[in-house]
Amino acid sequence: MSDDVQGPLCPSPFDGEDIQLAHGGGGRRMHHLLRDLVLPILGDTTTSGRHDGAVLDVGGRLAFTTDSFVVHPLFFPGGDIGSLAVNGTVNDLAMCGARPRYLGLSMILEEGFPLCELRRVVESLARAAREADVRFVTGDTKVVERGRGHGLYLNTSGVGVVTHELQIEPRSVRAGDCILVSGDLGRHGIAVMAAREGLELETTLESDCAPLHRPVLDLLDAGIEIHCLRDLTRGGLASALIEIAEDSGTTLTIEEEHLKVLPDVQGACELLGFDPLYVANEGRFVLMVPERDADAALAIMRRHPVSSGGQRVGRVSTDDPGLVILKTRIGSARVVDMLSGEQLPRIC
Amino acid sequence: MKYLDEYRQAGAVHRLADELHRITRGDWTLMEVCGGQTQAIVKFGIDGLLPPSVHLLHGPGCPVCVTPVEILDQALAIASMPEVTFCSFGDMLRVPGSGGDLLSARSRGGDVRIVYSPLDALELARRTPGRQVVFFAVGFETTAPANAMAVHLAKREGVTNFSILVAQVLVPPALLAILGSPGNRVQGFLAAGHVCAIMGWEEYPPIAARYRVPIVVTGFEPLDILQGVTMCVRQLEEGRYEVENQYARAVRLEGNSEARRILEEVFEIVPRKWRGIGSIPDSGLGLAPAYREFDASTRFDTGDIRAEEDPECRSGLVLQGRLLPRECPEFGRRCTPERPLGAPMVSSEGACAAYFRYRRREDSIARETR
């Protein structure tokens, strides 16, 4: 991938400085911030110079999504708010079966936020965008008073092109479909939790934050009849399956022994009283395909590093519409229910 | 952490279940004391693997569930004070008091923080000398030693802005209360493994002898629980009532002597009210006189405590094994984890929460169970 990014000259005039309210004012200081720090790192972002919006030629059906990012801490093993902001939106587009093309970026900065940290975030945004083969084409910057912003909030919106003819949505899910998951569960949530709470686990667990569109587009190109796709984010695999079961009116039955969880993630979950089924991921997806396409789908997924852990985990039926059932390793079964609020760490 | 898998192996579990079926002749009612065991039983469907004549009742071993409303109301009052940073294990945050829960106190501006250890709260007190840092000391004997250590260190270092709100409870008095109540059906106990890891099991032989009930110290994995049940049933079939230790990999007769030493130094035994059950003599821990300056309930003026409970909440009966959660008329109707009438529906160790999460569709579960 060619590197079209020209970084700012070293040493940077911004190191040691903090965000001031004036940086959001629309005047000279904001102009300098964008011209000398943000835009050079994000690359060639404009199609027609500085303008209120970007006019783009996408040549096909449009997928459009938006997402905001308020993660804390901003930097954690395996990622940061920047890579999250790119991959989160890229993945929402991928789940429509779209090829992600263009992103918009909105930043809300808190007065006092160090500019060297802003640079780190912007570099991460640029790197993630290059890796996902998408471009930033429009953006906005605001500054809020100290105490009103927790450092930095980001929003990214994204558009992508849809060239397939499938209806990829819960209503397309059918009895007899196979449920596949692209890899192991729970890395992102535990990595962030460990970083946030200063938990010192024996190994440094890294977030699985990554773009997912390449395996998805390969599946579509190969003619796999994808009925439903969902990336696993907050609420984990359980929440994704419950939403799909309810929206599709089907029963999703999964087998515990086919769910892969890294020993470190399992250990941290046991310690904290979390269930890996509900822990956040940022680089995993679940899909439902007809049984006849399952083997081919897995073969395609496993060719990509991000989905090399692809696995059959269960089956769709219509015995109990709207229910997700887990068959445990020891042969019993239980209903997988929606969590109310967040998982709270255990007492004893 | 491979040892976890060993204790959840399907083959071993089924072999043990088969043996239990083989030795069971009579009709037996057992109680598991610890909420963590209740969770495991419901989550792994262990009760479905038992012979039909062996019944498991769920006991009061959920410290969150039994924390009296009075103390929760004190916590809410203290957490709302502007100079206070109120630290708690996450599980307490959704338990309803008279005027809401700690989560809603946080959203109203109270500085309420989740910590993983009382020592984190103490560290916060050291780092923020201008704030009053209060730790909500909830739990059975399992959590008490760490709480004792935090107070001990606070006194030694002179961290005077640290205090704890004590709601510690003890297991053996609860067993006595259950055994001594009229209409008790419990014939054998699975004692709480982690409590006994601290305290040992020296307190149980007199109870077993007086009431003629076998007591088996039991762990938390499916294999542990099945083995504990099997050992208990074997005693009942043979007419024995002894104390046995299933959880030998973690529990010794004398427990953890270091932990017990610090407990005896910092705490003393006090009467304690158990939410839904009532007052049980000598069933709680309070700060010993030398450490009372760290007692948050006297350091802060919490004013009048309303201590209101929803009259429809039957958590007391659930905690004593008199009512199964799904037999409660409000279960899943007026009482859900989002809007709990009482604590067992919202605590991660509560029986009602376990049934709500895993058992609302018994017919589907029965169909899928091999």
Side-chain angles (χ1 to χ4, degrees):
Chain A
M1 222 170 298
S2 70
D3 190 337
D4 57 352
V5 167
Q6 257 189 317
L9 297 170
C10 283
S12 161
F14 292 107
D15 282 349
E17 285 184 37
D18 297 341
I19 288 286
Q20 307 296 318
L21 282 176
H23 284 120
R28 196 183 300 276
R29 293 201 71 180
M30 177 164 150
H31 166 73
H32 285 158
L33 179 73
L34 294 176
R35 184 195 69 190
D36 298 331
L37 191 154
V38 180
L39 295 178
I41 299 175
L42 286 182
D44 171 21
T45 60
T46 59
T47 51
S48 53
R50 270 178 293 158
H51 195 55
D52 286 335
V55 179
L56 308 161
D57 195 347
V58 292
R61 274 167 71 204
L62 198 67
F64 178 43
T65 187
T66 188
D67 219 336
S68 296
F69 301 89
V70 300
V71 68
H72 242 261
L74 297 179
F75 303 95
F76 45 85
D80 54 58
I81 192 173
S83 55
L84 263 191
V86 169
N87 291 321
T89 291
V90 160
N91 291 344
D92 283 344
L93 293 171
M95 295 303 112
C96 303
R99 177 179 299 280
R101 297 291 306 277
Y102 303 111
L103 297 182
L105 171 70
S106 210
M107 299 194 293
I108 300 178
L109 300 155
E110 184 187 6
E111 182 187 12
F113 186 65
L115 284 169
C116 57
E117 282 198 27
L118 176 62
R119 187 220 304 284
R120 273 179 78 189
V121 172
V122 176
E123 282 170 352
S124 179
L125 284 161
R127 194 164 44 241
R130 279 200 305 281
E131 279 166 16
D133 213 9
V134 293
R135 278 170 55 200
F136 282 102
V137 295
T138 188
D140 181 66
T141 305
K142 293 284 185 298
V143 179
V144 294
E145 288 163 10
R146 192 182 299 272
R148 303 237 160 123
H150 216 185
L152 171 68
Y153 295 138
L154 294 182
N155 170 283
T156 48
S157 305
V159 295
V161 184
V162 177
T163 49
H164 65 82
E165 299 290 328
L166 300 173
Q167 301 291 328
I168 300 180
E169 56 180 16
R171 276 181 300 188
S172 301
V173 175
R174 299 273 169 273
D177 281 356
C178 219
I179 305 170
L180 310 177
V181 169
S182 68
D184 62 276
L185 305 175
R187 289 197 210 183
H188 176 77
I190 295 297
V192 171
M193 166 78 61
R196 182 164 57 213
E197 304 296 338
L199 294 174
E200 282 163 28
L201 306 170
E202 257 180 25
T203 56
T204 306
L205 269 172
E206 292 203 340
S207 164
D208 55 351
C209 181
L212 298 171
H213 57 294
R214 291 187 180 96
V216 172
L217 293 171
D218 271 1
L219 288 168
L220 291 167
D221 282 345
I224 301 288
E225 192 185 310
I226 301 179
H227 288 167
C228 194
L229 273 173
R230 190 68 56 100
D231 66 334
L232 310 184
T233 56
R234 273 187 196 181
L237 175 64
S239 305
L241 290 178
I242 291 165
E243 283 174 11
I244 294 171
E246 287 176 357
D247 291 347
S248 65
T250 59
T251 313
L252 306 180
T253 304
I254 54 177
E255 306 259 351
E256 187 180 29
E257 60 188 332
H258 295 146
L259 300 177
K260 293 289 172 269
V261 181
L262 289 182
D264 290 352
V265 174
Q266 183 71 49
C269 284
E270 289 287 333
L271 203 62
L272 299 168
F274 291 153
D275 187 338
L277 267 180
Y278 294 87
V279 177
N281 307 265
E282 283 294 331
R284 298 283 180 265
F285 62 96
V286 62
L287 69 158
M288 284 87 180
V289 298
E291 170 60 46
R292 65 175 183 276
D293 280 351
D295 287 336
L298 281 172
I300 293 168
M301 284 161 68
R302 288 173 181 159
R303 285 204 291 265
H304 292 265
V306 77
S307 48
S308 59
Q311 188 87 13
R312 281 174 196 264
V313 299
R315 192 164 288 287
V316 181
S317 69
T318 46
D319 298 321
D320 292 287
L323 224 58
V324 178
I325 296 179
L326 176 83
K327 292 167 78 164
T328 73
R329 235 179 256 119
I330 64 169
S332 54
R334 66 169 182 269
V335 172
V336 178
D337 199 9
M338 194 74 90
L339 277 185
S340 50
E342 300 163 38
Q343 290 196 86
L344 295 172
R346 62 196 280 167
I347 287 194
C348 59
Chain B
M1 299 274 271
K2 294 216 173 74
Y3 69 86
L4 281 177
D5 294 337
E6 284 155 23
Y7 290 93
R8 293 181 188 177
Q9 240 191 35
V13 166
H14 287 290
R15 274 194 300 279
L16 203 45
D18 288 343
E19 190 190 330
L20 178 58
H21 279 257
R22 217 176 25 80
I23 67 169
T24 303
R25 299 262 176 279
D27 211 277
W28 305 115
T29 300
L30 311 180
M31 173 179 276
E32 90 278 356
V33 178
C34 176
Q37 292 165 337
T38 306
Q39 272 282 312
I41 288 164
V42 179
K43 186 173 165 179
F44 288 103
I46 293 166
D47 46 347
L49 299 173
L50 303 178
S53 64
V54 175
H55 312 280
L56 278 179
L57 298 180
H58 309 307
C62 166
V64 170
C65 305
V66 302
T67 297
V69 182
E70 288 86 350
I71 296 186
L72 196 42
D73 283 354
Q74 281 182 315
L76 290 166
I78 294 171
S80 306
M81 294 176 183
E83 74 274 23
V84 170
T85 299
F86 194 84
C87 300
S88 169
F89 292 127
D91 218 13
M92 286 306 300
L93 261 58
R94 283 202 290 251
V95 180
S98 302
D101 55 29
L102 284 167
L103 258 189
S104 51
R106 181 163 80 179
S107 62
R108 283 195 300 270
D111 186 2
V112 178
R113 316 242 185 132
I114 295 179
V115 294
Y116 295 86
S117 152
L119 300 174
D120 290 344
L122 178 63
E123 176 57 24
L124 195 56
R126 289 189 194 104
R127 282 193 283 116
T128 56
R131 308 274 301 156
Q132 282 287 328
V133 176
V134 181
F135 177 71
F136 203 174
V138 172
F140 281 97
E141 293 92 323
T142 327
T143 59
N147 297 338
M149 180 55 75
V151 173
H152 173 85
L153 288 174
K155 185 176 168 100
R156 195 173 77 186
E157 298 172 19
V159 186
T160 52
N161 61 323
F162 179 74
S163 60
I164 64 172
L165 183 64
V166 186
Q168 303 274 168
V169 277
L170 301 170
V171 167
L175 259 53
L176 288 170
I178 286 167
L179 286 166
S181 69
N184 167 53
R185 296 181 287 150
V186 180
Q187 297 164 301
F189 284 98
L190 304 185
H194 290 151
V195 168
C196 292
I198 302 293
M199 302 300 290
W201 78 81
E202 293 166 335
E203 298 166 281
Y204 294 101
I207 302 177
R210 178 172 161 194
Y211 288 95
R212 299 173 176 234
V213 283
I215 301 176
V216 179
V217 180
T218 303
F220 299 85
E221 299 302 326
L223 216 52
D224 290 321
I225 294 171
L226 262 181
Q227 192 170 38
V229 170
T230 304
M231 287 163 73
C232 214
V233 167
R234 184 173 282 120
Q235 285 201 44
L236 289 166
E237 292 288 345
E238 293 171 5
R240 293 184 286 125
Y241 38 91
E242 294 154 13
V243 180
E244 289 183 287
N245 181 12
Q246 180 281 328
Y247 202 26
R249 66 186 186 277
V251 177
R252 294 192 308 247
L253 173 65
E254 68 279 9
N256 182 320
S257 50
E258 267 306 303
R260 292 179 70 173
R261 200 189 48 74
I262 194 96
L263 275 186
E264 279 157 31
E265 179 186 318
V266 174
F267 287 116
E268 60 182 13
I269 293 180
V270 298
R272 176 75 70 211
K273 199 168 162 194
W274 292 49
R275 185 171 184 170
I277 296 176
S279 194
I280 302 180
D282 296 340
S283 66
L285 292 177
L287 285 168
Y291 290 91
R292 272 209 202 121
E293 70 204 88
F294 294 96
D295 190 338
S297 69
T298 46
R299 181 180 291 195
F300 300 96
D301 178 10
T302 51
D304 288 328
I305 298 294
R306 274 155 54 202
E308 283 164 11
E309 304 230 36
D310 193 303
E312 292 304 319
C313 178
R314 293 164 173 76
S315 59
L317 293 176
V318 172
L319 289 165
Q320 294 174 77
R322 296 273 182 80
L323 189 74
L324 279 178
R326 55 175 155 74
E327 293 167 351
C328 172
E330 305 301 340
F331 177 79
R333 296 195 183 86
R334 277 189 61 220
C335 188
T336 65
E338 280 80 36
R339 289 186 205 293
L341 294 184
M345 182 56 90
V346 87
S347 166
S348 66
E349 306 221 309
C352 303
Y355 273 75
F356 190 89
R357 252 185 96 171
Y358 301 124
R359 290 294 176 84
R360 270 180 302 137
R361 296 295 299 268
E362 303 268 4
D363 45 347
S364 318
I365 287 153
R367 191 194 60 237
E368 293 292 344
T369 299
R370 293 200 267 283

